[in-house]
Amino acid sequence: MQIKVILIAIILLMLPRVLASQESRDTIRIYKKNQIGLQLNPILNETLFQTGGLRYMYNIAALRYGNRITKNLTSGIEFSCSFPLHYNVSIINFFNYRVGIFARYTYPAYSRFQIFAEASPYYFHYWREITATYNPVPIRADKFGYYAAPGLSLYTKNKKISFDLFYKFSNLRFQNGKKSVFSYKVNINF
């Protein structure tokens, strides 16, 4: 008899909790599922400030689309390219682009300040021609590469715009001639 009373008491104590239970605040919080990232990065280097000779500036542009799969995981596609902007007579023309997919894990998911880790395999194409020589055959290169990047994201109060600051490590060289580079991106979230 005492066992039945104890079981009934336990059931009655747990029943209101089960009936009144709701999903936790984190699982029902609405987050922006789509993201468009933009980057325009002119690189000011010694070739721009030379007197006479070559005077050009490297320009890097990137566009990406990401879809948030879970509250912490985002995946998408990315296109980036670099090209010169000449301020003098051009004897070197070049263009390269990278096309790839990316995956990003962020923590904490709903904070205005987040840390993230990102990885991306990509296809790299490079084209260059030197018009001052008698052999203007362009140089081409096609490679597969990847990068990994830890970084920080800062969101506006309404979470519609975010700013990413990250450090990329790659198996291929970036425009700065190294296999690592500091980078940034502005994102529109919707």
Side-chain angles (χ1 to χ4, degrees):
M1 182 74 166
Q2 289 178 342
I3 295 178
K4 287 183 184 180
V5 172
I6 292 173
L7 285 175
I8 291 173
I10 291 173
I11 291 172
L12 289 176
L13 287 173
M14 293 185 70
L15 189 60
R17 184 178 177 123
V18 172
L19 291 176
S21 71
Q22 296 178 359
E23 292 184 20
S24 72
R25 183 175 167 98
D26 283 345
T27 58
I28 62 172
R29 188 178 293 191
I30 296 174
Y31 51 85
K32 312 277 192 227
K33 289 196 63 91
N34 299 299
Q35 181 181 76
I36 294 177
L38 306 167
Q39 177 185 2
L40 181 58
N41 185 14
I43 299 175
L44 304 176
N45 58 10
E46 66 276 352
T47 59
L48 178 63
F49 301 108
Q50 290 176 346
T51 55
L54 303 175
R55 289 191 61 211
Y56 64 92
M57 177 174 54
Y58 290 116
N59 292 289
I60 298 172
L63 177 66
R64 76 164 32 176
Y65 170 76
N67 185 1
R68 190 171 276 196
I69 298 168
T70 67
K71 66 181 184 176
N72 296 93
L73 187 62
T74 303
S75 177
I77 59 173
E78 181 174 37
F79 173 80
S80 65
C81 64
S82 65
F83 53 91
L85 184 59
H86 296 281
Y87 292 99
N88 206 351
V89 178
S90 171
I91 62 168
I92 294 179
N93 289 319
F94 66 87
F95 180 78
N96 66 53
Y97 65 86
R98 299 169 194 255
V99 177
I101 59 174
F102 72 92
R104 172 187 283 197
Y105 183 82
T106 60
Y107 181 82
Y110 301 122
S111 175
R112 286 183 61 197
F113 181 75
Q114 300 174 353
I115 58 173
F116 66 84
E118 182 174 295
S120 171
Y122 59 84
Y123 167 76
F124 173 76
H125 174 76
Y126 177 79
W127 172 85
R128 182 183 76 188
E129 71 175 358
I130 301 173
T131 58
T133 64
Y134 293 107
N135 187 9
V137 176
I139 298 169
R140 297 174 192 263
D142 296 303
K143 299 177 182 178
F144 286 98
Y146 59 88
Y147 76 80
L152 304 169
S153 289
L154 179 63
Y155 285 79
T156 59
K157 190 172 184 178
N158 62 6
K159 304 248 176 142
K160 288 187 178 182
I161 296 175
S162 61
F163 179 76
D164 294 341
L165 183 63
F166 49 100
Y167 197 73
K168 290 182 175 182
F169 299 95
S170 179
N171 66 326
L172 301 178
R173 295 190 188 279
F174 290 107
Q175 199 60 41
N176 64 355
K178 300 177 182 175
K179 291 187 176 186
S180 63
V181 68
F182 236 161
S183 191
Y184 66 89
K185 197 170 270 95
V186 176
N187 302 300
I188 300 166
N189 305 289
F190 58 97

